[in-house]
Amino acid sequence: MENRVIIGGQWGDEGKGKIVDALSQDVDWVLRYQGGANAGHTIHIGPDKHVLHLIPSGILHKGVRCLLGGGMVIDPWSLRDEIMALEQKGHKVRDRLHVSATAALLMPYHMRLDELRESRLKRKSIGTTGRGIGPAYLDKIQRTGLRMGDLLLPTENLERKVIEKILSANEVLSEFYDAEPLPARVLAEELVVLAQFVAPMVVNPYDALRKVREGTESALFEGAQGTMLDIDHGTFPYVTSSNSTIGGALTGTGLPPRSLGEINGIFKAYCTRVGNGPFPSELLGEAGDALREAGGEYGATTGRARRCGWFDMVAGRYAVDINGMTGVIITKLDVLDDLSTIQVATSYELDGKTITSYPVLSEAIPRCRPNFTEFAGWKKPTSDCRRLTDLPAAARKYLEFLEKELGTLIVGVSVGRDREQMIWTETGVTT
Ligand code: IMP
């Protein structure tokens, strides 16, 4: 079984959860490498719907081990709730779920600070998920935060360390934001109890992943968010605070580049974005609303309505290139089934020039106006298609165009939310 990295090619919510679920059946490990409970992966298995935020989607396959990697920011309160919810549905989780000791520990004050900072930014707010992600990464980068390994400390030491951190966060809350301080002792006591729950799952990732490093165990790397939300390569500052691109898979697990294997980008057949920030191919008004309803485009984490638009090939090619994608998977093709025409943004107008290369600077992107190429719709249902030859000719033409312009093979097409609603196309879609 070859290793594989799953990376969001757009602004997140590309349907990675379903793909990871489909591809993780036979792997030894599924590794989450960045982000935290800002992610929301929805998986439908028969009548059951599972929404996971921290735990990799692979956990639903018995025998698959999952690791929350060191590049993540983990809220132990959310982790416990997610584990309990899975256990209540009959999934045994704790013996297969491992948490890297080096992952950052996200505390309630990070969430509070996220909220306060966003409301202070007012119209310039990022539109975060409110899960404390930015402040938790800030604490890591400025070398003051707690790590999951701290949960292994003797109770007294842990309690003392946590109280110290909360008191120093309380100073920021009251002095900078004029907000209520958090109850340090109560939270520290809660964390001590949580530590007992989580500690048996905390591992040294260097030891835990030894066989993956040696090539005798296989791994699927599960990315969260998407390329355009990457802290370095996305639409800064309207991004998340981690590397959702390929580098994050390395730093977030401690595995070497040779462990990565195939790099598969996941792209919706159109585009969505939640939160604020530039989105050149956005469809406003009724057309955008219709796409949102057809695709059920509401956030799995916050329930927010997603902004919808056409496939953006300028951003798409950029995502393929900077991640070195070796193949892509197109999701939600069936959402376009009823449309008479479909468009793709194939270039931008910027300062009187037509450009096809993504301009990267946050100052330039909001000024880009897309040029569209139009395609005929197929006006037929595709959700029962399981082979390329089952698809209507116009749908194949659309996919062939995406494959050609993205410059890499389409290795899979998702045509519905269920596990089996997939067309696998190892040799691409172009005949
Ligand atoms: P944060 O990650 O909560 O700080 O949010 C920063 C930006 O990333 C906001 O625009 C969020 O809406 C967006 N974002 C974060 N996680 C996800 C995700 O899993 N899917 C889509 N957008 C996300």
Side-chain angles (χ1 to χ4, degrees), residues 3-68:
N3 291 356
R4 196 185 286 266
V5 188
I6 297 298
I7 293 195
Q10 297 158 321
W11 280 275
D13 306 318
E14 300 92 350
K16 297 179 290 294
K18 170 182 163 170
I19 304 301
V20 170
D21 172 62
L23 292 172
S24 56
Q25 201 157 345
D26 301 318
V27 299
D28 296 303
W29 288 93
V30 177
L31 314 171
R32 252 297 290 271
Y33 53 86
Q34 42 75 229
N38 48 349
H41 290 168
T42 310
I43 301 142
H44 294 266
I45 303 168
D48 279 346
K49 174 178 163 182
H50 301 269
V51 183
L52 299 170
H53 298 285
L54 286 165
I55 302 178
S57 329
I59 201 75
L60 297 170
H61 294 290
K62 290 193 184 78
V64 173
R65 282 167 283 163
C66 293
L67 178 79
L68 306 189

Side-chain angles (χ1 to χ4, degrees), residues 11-14 16 37-41 114 117 126-135 224-226 229 237-241 273-277 301-302 304 306:
W11 280 275
D13 306 318
E14 300 92 350
K16 297 179 290 294
N38 48 349
H41 290 168
D114 194 1
R117 206 178 46 177
I126 289 162
T128 71
T129 59
R131 298 296 165 104
I133 305 300
Q225 290 85 49
L229 288 174
Y238 298 98
V239 289
T240 191
S241 298
R273 165 163 211 171
V274 260
N276 301 328
T301 301
T302 58
R304 288 181 291 177
R306 296 180 184 141

Side-chain angles (χ1 to χ4, degrees), residues 373-387:
T373 301
E374 189 168 282
F375 293 83
W378 40 96
K379 296 267 208 179
K380 284 194 188 106
T382 55
S383 49
D384 289 331
C385 299
R386 296 292 175 270
R387 291 167 307 178

Side-chain angles (χ1 to χ4, degrees), residues 326-330 388 398-404 406 408-413 423-430:
T326 57
V328 301
I329 294 169
I330 304 293
L388 271 183
Y398 181 60
L399 290 171
E400 281 173 18
F401 177 80
L402 296 184
E403 180 167 87
K404 177 166 159 276
L406 285 171
T408 185
L409 292 185
I410 293 179
V411 295
V413 181
I423 299 171
W424 293 108
T425 61
E426 253 172 57
T427 50
V429 295
T430 310

Side-chain angles (χ1 to χ4, degrees), residues 53-100:
H53 298 285
L54 286 165
I55 302 178
S57 329
I59 201 75
L60 297 170
H61 294 290
K62 290 193 184 78
V64 173
R65 282 167 283 163
C66 293
L67 178 79
L68 306 189
M72 292 184 70
V73 286
I74 301 173
D75 168 357
W77 283 264
S78 299
L79 180 60
R80 180 207 42 207
D81 294 349
E82 226 169 280
I83 292 172
M84 304 285 267
L86 282 170
E87 288 185 347
Q88 268 162 19
K89 285 188 179 163
H91 298 280
K92 268 193 86 197
V93 170
R94 275 185 260 183
D95 54 338
R96 293 184 290 117
L97 183 62
H98 305 275
V99 179
S100 170

